[in-house]
Amino acid sequence: MATPVSELDLPTLDFDPFSREDERREIIAMAQRQSWLAKTELGTMVTRYDDVTSILRDRRWHSALALIAQMQQFDNSEWTERNSNRKSILSTEGPDHTRLRRIVSPAFTPRSADRLRPFMRSVMEDLIDPFIGNGHCEFVAEVCEPYPNPIICELLGAPPENWEMFSRLAVDIFKLFNGNLAEDAPAIMAAQDEMNEYMAQLIVERRAAPQEDLLTDLIAAEDEGDRLDNIELQSMAQAVLLAGTDTTRNQLACAMALFAQHPEQWELLRNQPELAPRAVEEVMRYLGAVRGTVRFASEDIEYNGVLFPQGSLIATSFLGANFDDTQYTEAGAFDISRKADSPHMTFGSGIHFCLGAALARAELQEALLVLSKRMPEVRLNGEIEWKPINVGIWGPEVLPLAWS
Ligand code: HEM
């Protein structure tokens, strides 16, 4: 007979949002040794690699993104109507999600990401050219913030004169994650409308004159005669903007913060650029910008002898999974030549596994290749200011770097 989750005596994870990363790792490792579940101020958390994977692969657990409004007790008919008419791949489940994913997946292969590699390199070179001779910069504002937007725009086929507009709309659409829909919903909906209108026009143009870009691929994408309609195409564009910009910029900042503190690894990458793909995987394991994800039980679920009643929320810890010493030899060592361990969890797992993983990998690899060549002996040039750990997508707020 399974024990209801509310009756378990679980270790408590008490994170100070500004605690140090190594302290957090220590706290989570202690909890991992006691139990596969822990209590946090936000609810129950799964801490071990195998259980995080099992739960994310179990289709009875649904993405909590679908509950954003409900969790904030935000009850607004316009919001509800728009979100039921315009389903996002990020929060749909079951056959709707399978259908979307089947149609769009062929447009997100490593080969289509490779198409953009020369563009990625040139964006990075252009960003650093103005200050590289100074030998120092504030890396978040000057490099991470501006890096992903032109790439997402190029991916979607939006011309350079619209990049500014995309950045502006992204800022408002991102308010979705601020936890304050009561205040932010009007700005979010206005930005969504503007973006949808813009994409509708771009879709007309691409239908008339196909190009080498994701939008053209998505328009052409079909699975046994089934295609995305215009509204679905617009939703995909927004999902890509939402999921693909802040993640990449924070992950790049995490990478450089790590390398600045591990000069021998930076030197290794500089001397052996062929290590770039492994370096990205190790950076994402060691200091992932996405710390975990949340699911809710779509029905009563029994797992590992525990009963989770329908509606239970559960957080999965990528930090716990990525440092689980049953999966990684010397999990605490940052080593870009590491091989033969389990894949990191920072792209998630199961049906919502990051659709843009190939693109994100290419963006990070190309960025690190340019930077390791042009910023030798990179080091900290002041204190790193970190975002509080309770934000969904995490990394340095301020990262002062200097190089030789
Ligand atoms: C380093 C950068 C990135 C990280 C760490 C990351 C991480 C993740 C994670 C953890 C998920 C799963 C969320 C969950 O299960 O609740 C996810 C989903 C997703 N990501 Fe990424 N992502 C990154 C970059 C990108 C990029 C560049 C794109 C755009 C092309 C993208 C598009 C998506 C989409 C569309 C989904 C939803 C997939 C689905 O629900 O089926 N991501 N990402």
Side-chain angles (χ1 to χ4, degrees), residues 56 63-65 88-93 97 100-101 104 108 148 151-152 155 214 236 238-252 280 284 288-295 316 318 344-361 363-364 393:
L56 293 179
S63 169
L65 269 182
S88 164
I89 193 166
L90 294 157
S91 53
T92 42
E93 304 290 340
H97 181 269
L100 278 179
R101 190 86 195 199
V104 303
F108 287 92
I151 297 167
I152 292 290
L155 179 79
L214 177 77
M236 268 314 294
Q238 274 194 33
V240 164
L241 184 69
L242 260 183
T245 45
D246 222 29
T247 42
T248 310
R249 64 167 66 97
N250 277 283
Q251 192 60 68
L252 180 59
V280 167
M284 292 189 71
V290 179
R291 318 293 291 172
T293 186
V294 183
R295 295 288 185 265
T316 55
F318 296 170
H344 66 74
M345 196 61 70
T346 307
F347 283 130
S349 185
I351 64 162
H352 291 288
F353 177 84
C354 179
L355 184 65
L359 186 81
R361 286 183 164 122
E363 283 179 83
L364 293 165
I393 303 170

Side-chain angles (χ1 to χ4, degrees), residues 77-87 188-190 192-193 196:
S77 54
E78 194 188 343
W79 182 270
T80 312
E81 198 188 322
R82 129 181 341 230
N83 284 291
S84 47
N85 290 343
R86 292 180 172 267
K87 291 207 171 106
I188 299 171
M189 290 193 280
Q192 286 176 332
D193 289 344
N196 285 337

